[in-house]
Amino acid sequence: MKKILMMSLVASSMLMAGGYKIPETSTNSVALSGANVAHTSSADAAYDNPANMIFMEDANQLELDLMYIGLSATKFNGTVSTSTTGNDPLTSEEQTFIIPSVHYVSPKLGENGVRLGLSIVVPGGLTREWKSGAAKTVSEEFTLRIIEVNPTVAYEITDDLAMAFGFRMVHTSGVVKSDGVRSDIGALSRDMTGDSLDYGYNLALAYHPIDDLELAVTYRSKIALTVQGSADLVALGQSYSGDASVTVPLPATFSAAAAYTFSTKTTVEFVYDITYWSSYESLDFEYDSSINASVNAVWGASVAKNWKDTNAFRIGITQELDDLKLMAGAVIDETPTPESTLNFESPGSDSLSFSLGGRYKINDSIDVGLSALYSMKEDRTISGAVNTNGIDGTFSNTNALLISAGLGYKF
């Protein structure tokens, strides 16, 4: 079997961008549209803000979540200058996924109140498949799977200030397929699969200046995804079967959050996120010396990406009742993909998302939760005079539905 891959990172860019980034890695996070950074009281604090582990109930806390993700069929109506198949409207495949996650927070250890956390999550990934026309030539299938294991340590600085740091282990695997005919090249194809293991870190700070106000900042480092492996390529009547490698950044992210709890036990939280996508300047695949020059000219040329840093603005509202917690949220998220370099594997656009959810306390040890988020992406029109891939038309109907169920246990 082929080992590893090249373009899993175009996919990672596509899926971790404003396109299909998954910052919602727990049932509470889905319910609040990711606005649970400053105000976190469940085991998912181990990932969203591990510094807040210090302020949680002193017990072992475990949370198991299962999330459904459904992606609509993206539509394209327009022309592609290199196409030989006409200008019929194109539609990608609908996609569905089931994603588990685990979060754990230890009780306080020692006199200094140190607490340990562990999260196993899927922070990004998914897939995009186009089965016809010019889109199939670029992106018959782009599948990316990312699993992150994130152990963390939190330390109490003062009674109202805590800090935390963590170690990120990210496993990436993917499949890339393209097949078709271009007017300037003729028949071409590629078929790649693979994986990699890479490392980074995260930092967090939580400050509770008064009882009802919670402030927080978190930072997740950039990780260079160093994918190596093998590829089968065809272009200009020549073929290649051999090693392939590429390095693509999983960008750093920074979040600042503030939450206030009113006398009605209503908590409102605002979160500002920035994702440093400007580190993704180009995509450059390397092959071994046996590659034919013609094939390398098509599949080995450095491709400019020139993505931009993006902002996201989140709001979450939590209402505490006796044994029931109700939650709602919204988020505005930008796309990093400029009009000039957008392609079928990453048809990004700005999005608006809304979410709802709740948790019910069964007893002092067990609670259950259910939440849903719907993300609506703006239609995006691309000018062929600007786009370097010859795309002139409109992408539409790129929406996503997330449904998460969770079980919490204290012991």
Side-chain angles (χ1 to χ4, degrees), residues 80 114 140 175 204 243 311:
V80 181
V114 172
E140 179 180 4
V175 174
D243 294 339
N311 302 297

Side-chain angles (χ1 to χ4, degrees), residues 40-363:
T40 54
S41 57
S42 300
D44 57 350
Y47 190 80
D48 294 313
N49 181 4
N52 261 348
M53 297 190 298
I54 292 297
F55 303 109
M56 294 169 57
E57 180 182 345
D58 188 10
N60 287 289
Q61 299 198 34
L62 178 67
E63 181 172 340
L64 306 175
D65 297 293
L66 198 63
M67 182 164 60
Y68 161 90
I69 298 180
L71 302 181
S72 64
T74 297
K75 298 179 180 179
F76 173 74
N77 195 341
T79 63
V80 181
S81 63
T82 58
S83 174
T84 63
T85 58
N87 301 320
D88 294 335
L90 303 174
T91 303
S92 71
E93 299 295 299
E94 294 183 357
Q95 303 288 340
T96 59
F97 307 88
I98 301 295
I99 296 176
S101 62
V102 179
H103 303 278
Y104 168 75
V105 176
S106 78
K108 291 184 177 180
L109 307 174
E111 296 181 358
N112 293 326
V114 172
R115 298 188 77 164
L116 306 179
L118 176 67
S119 290
I120 303 174
V121 300
V122 176
L126 312 182
T127 191
R128 178 61 66 203
E129 297 182 18
W130 300 83
K131 297 301 186 182
S132 63
K136 182 172 177 281
T137 306
V138 175
S139 179
E140 179 180 4
E141 179 182 354
F142 276 80
T143 298
L144 178 76
R145 301 174 184 89
I146 296 178
I147 298 175
E148 179 175 348
V149 178
N150 186 198
T152 51
V153 179
Y155 180 81
E156 180 180 333
I157 300 175
T158 67
D159 289 342
D160 52 19
L161 181 65
M163 66 174 294
F165 64 90
F167 181 59
R168 304 177 66 192
M169 294 175 283
V170 175
H171 180 265
T172 305
S173 63
V175 174
V176 176
K177 294 182 180 180
S178 299
D179 182 43
V181 179
R182 279 179 49 171
S183 60
D184 55 342
I185 294 174
L188 72 169
S189 67
R190 62 186 167 192
D191 190 346
M192 309 181 183
T193 60
D195 58 28
S196 69
L197 183 62
D198 303 289
Y199 305 95
Y201 65 91
N202 64 294
L203 305 171
L205 192 67
Y207 179 45
H208 298 181
I210 58 177
D211 288 343
D212 298 326
L213 179 63
E214 300 163 281
L215 306 175
V217 293
T218 64
Y219 177 79
R220 307 190 79 80
S221 72
K222 182 180 96 170
I223 299 178
L225 302 177
T226 55
V227 184
Q228 302 177 18
S230 60
D232 289 334
L233 309 174
V234 174
L236 298 171
Q238 303 293 325
S239 63
Y240 169 81
S241 181
D243 294 339
S245 65
V246 66
T247 299
V248 179
L250 186 62
T253 59
F254 171 81
S255 298
Y260 187 81
T261 301
F262 296 89
S263 58
T264 56
K265 295 185 178 180
T266 305
T267 301
V268 179
E269 178 166 345
F270 295 95
V271 179
Y272 166 70
D273 291 337
I274 181 169
T275 303
Y276 296 97
W277 275 116
S278 57
S279 60
Y280 189 30
E281 298 177 352
S282 64
L283 188 65
D284 191 3
F285 299 105
E286 299 292 338
Y287 307 100
D288 66 39
S289 58
S290 67
I291 190 169
N292 178 275
S294 298
V295 177
N296 193 49
V298 174
W299 295 119
S302 178
V303 179
K305 291 297 178 181
N306 299 326
W307 284 24
K308 63 177 183 178
D309 296 342
T310 59
N311 302 297
F313 304 91
R314 307 176 187 275
I315 182 172
I317 301 174
T318 302
Q319 178 63 58
E320 296 278 359
L321 302 173
D322 290 339
D323 294 321
L324 182 65
K325 178 190 295 185
L326 301 176
M327 295 169 281
V331 56
I332 298 172
D333 200 1
E334 298 176 335
T335 178
T337 316
E339 182 178 4
S340 60
T341 63
L342 181 143
N343 210 340
F344 285 98
E345 81 277 356
S346 55
S349 61
D350 297 344
S351 66
L352 175 64
S353 304
F354 297 98
S355 59
L356 291 169
R359 298 195 77 94
Y360 179 72
K361 182 179 177 181
I362 297 175
N363 54 44

